[in-house]
Amino acid sequence: MSALLEVSGVSVSFDGFRAIDNLSFSIGHAELRAVIGPNGAGKTTFMDIVTGKTRPDTGTVRWGRTGRSLLRMSEARIAREGVGRKFQRPTVFEDQTVADNLMLALRKDRGPLAVLVFRPTAEDRDRVAGLAGEIGLRAALDRRAGDLSHGQKQWLEIGMLLAQEPRLLLVDEPAAGMTLAEREHTTELLKEAAKSRAVVVVEHDMDFVRRLDCKVTVLHEGSVLAEGSIDHVTRDDRVIEVYLGR
């Protein structure tokens, strides 16, 4: 099966520092992948390249079954193509309800006139209720987002991304600051999402990565150091030396 995302030979430097060095990475159309590595390994820059925020100096980034170049697209176009990104800190509309946040995120025509005349349909309301159920917030639909716990805000933001029907979801350190119960729910949420789309999770917490039970890519100095199951990469002497430190 062809890859959904194919990064080949990508390099980028900032003021003489090689942040990404001949990086190659691919992920399938419905796959969960964890990306780990020490600070400065290139994890954030990798996501910046895929979303169009940073343009590499060399290499290719191919997308979809026809292998179109993401490097020729704007950030907005890449988002419309189905690349969604969740940053570490949740960004939700805190003064709006959970239902309103999800409704605002639905994949719709977002032109000025369309926004002005938008009225939610029964189908829209059903979709919002379904999303709330997926993320574990069905009972909180009428609650103000600002009143949610940190973990619930993370789930709401994931739900808002799912509302946009992405084909690839990039998630940055979703387990940070969560309780054990919240982490367990987040694990199941990401696993479920990956049944119908590609999900890349950048994470430092090795216990959380192990719970994801997926292929792991280890980055170091801007390139892939090791790749495989969590047991495979944690036994790799190079990974132990540069990242695990034991």
Side-chain angles (χ1 to χ4, degrees):
M1 183 179 70
S2 63
L4 173 66
L5 176 73
E6 186 85 44
V7 177
S8 301
V10 165
S11 296
V12 63
S13 297
F14 302 111
D15 298 324
F17 170 69
R18 183 66 67 93
I20 296 290
D21 186 12
N22 195 31
L23 174 66
S24 293
F25 174 96
S26 67
I27 188 167
H29 290 261
E31 180 184 347
L32 179 60
R33 180 79 58 88
V35 175
I36 66 174
N39 290 332
K43 303 183 296 295
T44 298
T45 306
F46 160 70
M47 290 192 289
D48 287 346
I49 289 170
V50 173
T51 55
K53 185 177 180 181
T54 294
R55 300 294 177 181
D57 303 321
T58 59
T60 60
V61 181
R62 300 291 179 185
W63 172 254
R65 298 188 187 280
T66 57
R68 286 169 295 156
S69 174
L70 285 186
L71 302 182
R72 296 178 181 174
M73 301 180 194
S74 66
E75 288 184 65
R77 172 69 188 279
I78 290 171
R80 289 196 299 272
E81 282 288 319
V83 177
R85 180 176 183 180
K86 188 204 170 306
F87 292 88
Q88 185 177 351
R89 291 174 61 89
T91 51
V92 299
F93 299 106
E94 299 215 344
D95 289 334
Q96 304 295 319
T97 65
V98 168
D100 288 340
N101 270 270
L102 293 171
M103 189 69 74
L104 286 166
L106 289 179
R107 188 180 180 93
K108 294 281 185 181
D109 178 5
R110 293 301 177 188
L113 182 59
V115 170
L116 283 173
V117 301
F118 173 71
R119 294 291 183 274
T121 64
E123 184 179 351
D124 292 333
R125 286 188 283 271
D126 287 345
R127 174 70 175 137
V128 163
L131 284 165
E134 285 181 48
I135 60 177
L137 293 178
R138 187 184 294 273
L141 273 170
D142 295 326
R143 285 185 64 190
R144 181 177 165 275
D147 295 333
L148 300 176
S149 72
H150 171 74
Q152 290 173 321
K153 288 178 184 176
Q154 297 279 35
W155 303 336
L156 176 56
E157 188 172 20
I158 292 172
M160 291 169 71
L161 285 171
L162 294 177
Q164 297 164 30
E165 301 173 17
R167 298 163 66 192
L168 169 64
L169 192 55
L170 304 171
V171 186
D172 191 7
E173 295 193 44
M178 286 191 175
T179 66
L180 179 60
E182 288 174 338
R183 287 150 57 94
E184 289 177 351
H185 178 69
T186 303
T187 302
E188 295 310 310
L189 177 54
L190 294 171
K191 283 183 174 182
E192 188 64 30
K195 291 179 180 179
S196 56
R197 61 181 56 79
V199 179
V200 175
V201 180
V202 171
E203 185 56 75
H204 282 292
D205 188 313
M206 296 302 292
D207 179 61
F208 185 76
V209 172
R210 186 172 290 280
R211 288 171 181 272
L212 291 175
D213 190 26
C214 65
K215 187 174 182 179
V216 179
T217 299
V218 185
L219 296 187
H220 177 56
E221 295 181 347
S223 58
V224 175
L225 179 66
E227 202 164 64
S229 69
I230 185 67
D231 289 331
H232 171 77
V233 300
T234 54
R235 286 196 299 263
D236 189 298
D237 289 339
R238 299 167 303 168
V239 177
I240 293 170
E241 180 182 354
V242 305
Y243 184 51
L244 300 179
R246 63 174 190 271

